[in-house]
Amino acid sequence: MQKPAKACIIQLPKIADPRGNLTFIQFPDHIPFSIKRVFWTYDVPGGEQRGGHAYHEQEELIIALSGSFDVIITMPDSSIEKYSLNRSYYGLYLPPGTWRHMENFSTNALSLHLSNKEYSAEDYIRDFTVFKYYHDNNLSI
């Protein structure tokens, strides 16, 4: 799979079976990076948000394994794209340099995050002003 230039939904294989469906992810067929880290969020209280940052290098695929939630992407010009995730056979691909947060979690929502990088605090951009500065000055994120 080619790396998308911007955030996009990736449809994952869905094997339908009367006993229960199965979905899988295989690099490089279904995901544009090899997986180095996996984490998930759950038990998010009503009205809370997760995220609120971008990464310098990390690519990510976010999947709603259970329930639903919205991923809000904020562009450097402050315009917004909203992706509602509620099916476990769709993943939202986020390239490096994508400002995002997650909100509107349903009861028992479970979000799975697949990443091409191991955790590094230095990879995070946690201040939107800094994020915007990188873009406004054509600096590499």
Side-chain angles (χ1 to χ4, degrees):
M1 161 178 234
Q2 271 191 318
K3 285 189 191 272
K6 62 180 200 161
C8 66
I9 295 291
I10 295 175
Q11 185 167 351
L12 302 170
K14 178 181 175 184
I15 310 300
D17 188 297
R19 302 167 297 163
N21 300 329
L22 180 137
T23 292
F24 62 95
I25 299 170
Q26 187 169 288
F27 171 77
D29 300 329
H30 310 120
I31 188 169
F33 57 82
S34 59
I35 299 167
K36 297 282 177 118
R37 181 166 68 117
V38 176
F39 62 95
W40 49 97
T41 57
Y42 56 96
D43 293 342
V44 178
E48 289 297 322
Q49 293 184 359
R50 298 290 313 199
H53 55 76
Y55 298 109
H56 288 281
E57 297 181 10
Q58 179 175 295
E59 296 172 76
E60 190 172 31
L61 187 73
I62 302 174
I63 302 166
L65 288 183
S66 180
S68 63
F69 52 87
D70 297 330
V71 180
I72 311 300
I73 297 173
T74 307
M75 304 303 181
D77 67 359
S78 296
S79 64
I80 290 177
E81 292 180 11
K82 176 178 155 182
Y83 293 88
S84 296
L85 299 179
N86 59 10
R87 299 281 184 254
S88 58
Y89 51 89
Y90 288 118
L92 176 61
Y93 171 75
L94 299 174
T98 304
W99 188 272
R100 90 299 297 281
H101 76 270
M102 298 168 23
E103 64 183 25
N104 196 25
F105 288 86
S106 69
T107 301
N108 296 324
L110 171 60
S111 67
L112 177 68
H113 302 250
L114 308 175
S115 169
N116 71 325
K117 298 283 183 189
E118 294 177 3
Y119 173 80
S120 168
E122 293 78 33
D123 193 39
Y124 282 74
I125 304 170
R126 296 186 185 273
D127 183 329
F128 188 78
T129 306
V130 172
F131 169 76
K132 190 167 171 26
Y133 176 83
Y134 275 100
H135 280 279
D136 291 349
N137 292 288
N138 293 319
L139 300 172
S140 94
I141 297 252

